């Protein structure tokens, strides 16, 4: 596969793979370099890994006229303080949970 250098403008991620699907869209698989998240129950910073959520695909800003999609498997962390040791999916600043787009894409569309 051709190696493509792409400026993503997304903080705290490492690009793991860049591919092009049969529609000609660019698919970029990334991994978060941020460790830990805040427990959704007690608000403490938690860093005990608890696997990953299902992979999600987010529409991002087009590059060179091609649609760009970002793929990521959000990390999950477990709280050791709360009863029942609940888990929380890592919240990242560049997309909203359950949104199909990155925040950068949303801002671009609204402009
Ligand atoms: Zn907690």
């Amino acid at each position: 596969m051709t190696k493509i250098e792409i400026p993503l403008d997304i903080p705290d991620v490492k690009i793991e793979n860049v591919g092009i699907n049969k529609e000609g869209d660019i698919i970029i698989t990334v991994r978060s370099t941020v460790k830990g998240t805040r427990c959704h129950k007690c608000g403490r910073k938690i860093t005990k890994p608890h696997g990953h959520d299902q992979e999600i695909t987010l529409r991002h800003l087009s590059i060179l006229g091609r649609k760009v999609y970002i793929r990521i498997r959000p990390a999950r962390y477990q709280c050791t303080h709360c009863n029942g040791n609940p888990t929380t999916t890592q919240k990242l600043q560049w997309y909203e949970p359950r949104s199909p787009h990155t925040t950068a894409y949303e801002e671009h569309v609204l402009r």
Side-chain angles (χ1 to χ4, degrees), residues 25-61:
D25 304 332
I26 300 175
I27 312 292
I28 304 171
T29 307
V30 303
R31 184 159 63 77
S32 170
T33 57
V34 179
K35 292 273 177 284
T37 192
R38 290 205 175 272
C39 172
H40 67 277
K41 277 200 170 158
C42 67
R44 278 190 179 89
K45 177 96 177 166
I46 52 174
T47 54
K48 187 183 177 197
H50 194 265
H52 288 82
D53 280 3
Q54 282 210 328
E55 185 176 73
I56 54 171
T57 304
L58 301 154
R59 177 79 195 272
H60 190 52
L61 301 173

